Tab-separated table of all heavy atoms in Angstrom:
chain	number	residue	atom	x	y	z
A	1091	MET	N	-60.588	-23.901	-4.346
A	1091	MET	CA	-60.908	-22.781	-3.463
A	1091	MET	C	-59.627	-22.306	-2.756
A	1091	MET	O	-58.720	-23.082	-2.483
A	1091	MET	CB	-61.941	-23.230	-2.437
A	1091	MET	CG	-62.455	-22.088	-1.596
A	1091	MET	SD	-63.734	-22.638	-0.501
A	1091	MET	CE	-63.841	-21.218	0.556
A	1092	LEU	N	-59.595	-21.009	-2.464
A	1092	LEU	CA	-58.414	-20.395	-1.837
A	1092	LEU	C	-58.182	-20.980	-0.438
A	1092	LEU	O	-59.097	-21.008	0.380
A	1092	LEU	CB	-58.653	-18.877	-1.741
A	1092	LEU	CG	-57.511	-18.013	-1.254
A	1092	LEU	CD1	-56.295	-18.187	-2.146
A	1092	LEU	CD2	-57.915	-16.561	-1.227
A	1093	ALA	N	-56.965	-21.479	-0.186
A	1093	ALA	CA	-56.645	-22.031	1.138
A	1093	ALA	C	-55.969	-20.970	2.009
A	1093	ALA	O	-56.363	-20.736	3.141
A	1093	ALA	CB	-55.736	-23.240	0.994
A	1094	TYR	N	-54.912	-20.342	1.478
A	1094	TYR	CA	-54.235	-19.295	2.278
A	1094	TYR	C	-53.554	-18.321	1.331
A	1094	TYR	O	-53.404	-18.579	0.140
A	1094	TYR	CB	-53.229	-19.918	3.258
A	1094	TYR	CG	-52.001	-20.542	2.649
A	1094	TYR	CD1	-50.817	-19.816	2.522
A	1094	TYR	CD2	-51.995	-21.878	2.209
A	1094	TYR	CE1	-49.686	-20.381	1.967
A	1094	TYR	CE2	-50.861	-22.451	1.654
A	1094	TYR	CZ	-49.711	-21.693	1.534
A	1094	TYR	OH	-48.580	-22.251	0.988
A	1095	LEU	N	-53.159	-17.164	1.887
A	1095	LEU	CA	-52.422	-16.153	1.115
A	1095	LEU	C	-50.994	-16.118	1.637
A	1095	LEU	O	-50.775	-16.116	2.842
A	1095	LEU	CB	-53.044	-14.764	1.296
A	1095	LEU	CG	-54.380	-14.524	0.614
A	1095	LEU	CD1	-54.884	-13.131	0.956
A	1095	LEU	CD2	-54.248	-14.655	-0.900
A	1096	ASP	N	-50.051	-16.097	0.701
A	1096	ASP	CA	-48.636	-16.085	1.083
A	1096	ASP	C	-48.081	-14.706	0.710
A	1096	ASP	O	-47.849	-14.434	-0.458
A	1096	ASP	CB	-47.933	-17.205	0.308
A	1096	ASP	CG	-46.480	-17.356	0.724
A	1096	ASP	OD1	-45.973	-16.464	1.420
A	1096	ASP	OD2	-45.855	-18.358	0.334
A	1097	PHE	N	-47.889	-13.850	1.729
A	1097	PHE	CA	-47.401	-12.493	1.467
A	1097	PHE	C	-45.908	-12.413	1.734
A	1097	PHE	O	-45.437	-12.923	2.748
A	1097	PHE	CB	-48.105	-11.471	2.376
A	1097	PHE	CG	-49.302	-10.851	1.727
A	1097	PHE	CD1	-50.555	-11.442	1.821
A	1097	PHE	CD2	-49.168	-9.677	0.999
A	1097	PHE	CE1	-51.653	-10.869	1.210
A	1097	PHE	CE2	-50.266	-9.099	0.383
A	1097	PHE	CZ	-51.509	-9.694	0.484
A	1098	SER	N	-45.192	-11.753	0.853
A	1098	SER	CA	-43.774	-11.503	1.166
A	1098	SER	C	-43.303	-10.298	0.378
A	1098	SER	O	-43.945	-9.885	-0.589
A	1098	SER	CB	-42.929	-12.720	0.802
A	1098	SER	OG	-42.867	-12.826	-0.598
A	1099	VAL	N	-42.174	-9.762	0.842
A	1099	VAL	CA	-41.567	-8.633	0.132
A	1099	VAL	C	-40.427	-9.215	-0.684
A	1099	VAL	O	-39.547	-9.879	-0.148
A	1099	VAL	CB	-41.030	-7.591	1.135
A	1099	VAL	CG1	-40.377	-6.442	0.389
A	1099	VAL	CG2	-42.158	-7.091	2.016
A	1100	SER	N	-40.445	-8.960	-1.992
A	1100	SER	CA	-39.374	-9.517	-2.829
A	1100	SER	C	-38.095	-8.721	-2.583
A	1100	SER	O	-38.122	-7.642	-1.996
A	1100	SER	CB	-39.762	-9.414	-4.297
A	1100	SER	OG	-39.654	-8.065	-4.714
A	1101	THR	N	-36.968	-9.248	-3.096
A	1101	THR	CA	-35.700	-8.551	-2.890
A	1101	THR	C	-35.710	-7.193	-3.580
A	1101	THR	O	-34.942	-6.313	-3.241
A	1101	THR	CB	-34.530	-9.377	-3.460
A	1101	THR	OG1	-34.863	-9.772	-4.771
A	1101	THR	CG2	-34.255	-10.577	-2.612
A	1102	THR	N	-36.585	-7.038	-4.571
A	1102	THR	CA	-36.647	-5.729	-5.232
A	1102	THR	C	-37.619	-4.807	-4.502
A	1102	THR	O	-37.942	-3.732	-4.990
A	1102	THR	CB	-37.090	-5.876	-6.694
A	1102	THR	OG1	-38.265	-6.679	-6.726
A	1102	THR	CG2	-36.020	-6.530	-7.522
A	1103	GLY	N	-38.091	-5.244	-3.330
A	1103	GLY	CA	-38.870	-4.321	-2.509
A	1103	GLY	C	-40.350	-4.286	-2.855
A	1103	GLY	O	-41.063	-3.372	-2.453
A	1104	ILE	N	-40.844	-5.293	-3.616
A	1104	ILE	CA	-42.278	-5.284	-3.969
A	1104	ILE	C	-43.021	-6.217	-3.018
A	1104	ILE	O	-42.646	-7.380	-2.861
A	1104	ILE	CB	-42.468	-5.735	-5.433
A	1104	ILE	CG1	-41.834	-4.712	-6.363
A	1104	ILE	CG2	-43.939	-5.930	-5.764
A	1104	ILE	CD1	-41.691	-5.173	-7.790
A	1105	LEU	N	-44.071	-5.726	-2.392
A	1105	LEU	CA	-44.893	-6.544	-1.508
A	1105	LEU	C	-45.944	-7.239	-2.367
A	1105	LEU	O	-46.716	-6.592	-3.074
A	1105	LEU	CB	-45.580	-5.657	-0.469
A	1105	LEU	CG	-46.608	-6.372	0.409
A	1105	LEU	CD1	-45.917	-7.348	1.338
A	1105	LEU	CD2	-47.445	-5.390	1.207
A	1106	ALA	N	-45.936	-8.579	-2.329
A	1106	ALA	CA	-46.903	-9.302	-3.153
A	1106	ALA	C	-47.474	-10.457	-2.360
A	1106	ALA	O	-46.766	-11.101	-1.584
A	1106	ALA	CB	-46.215	-9.820	-4.404
A	1107	GLY	N	-48.786	-10.708	-2.562
A	1107	GLY	CA	-49.411	-11.869	-1.921
A	1107	GLY	C	-49.854	-12.828	-3.006
A	1107	GLY	O	-50.513	-12.419	-3.953
Side-chain angles (χ1 to χ4, degrees):
M1091 187 176 168
L1092 186 58
Y1094 69 94
L1095 288 177
D1096 185 348
F1097 266 88
S1098 71
V1099 179
S1100 74
T1101 49
T1102 50
I1104 295 168
L1105 173 69

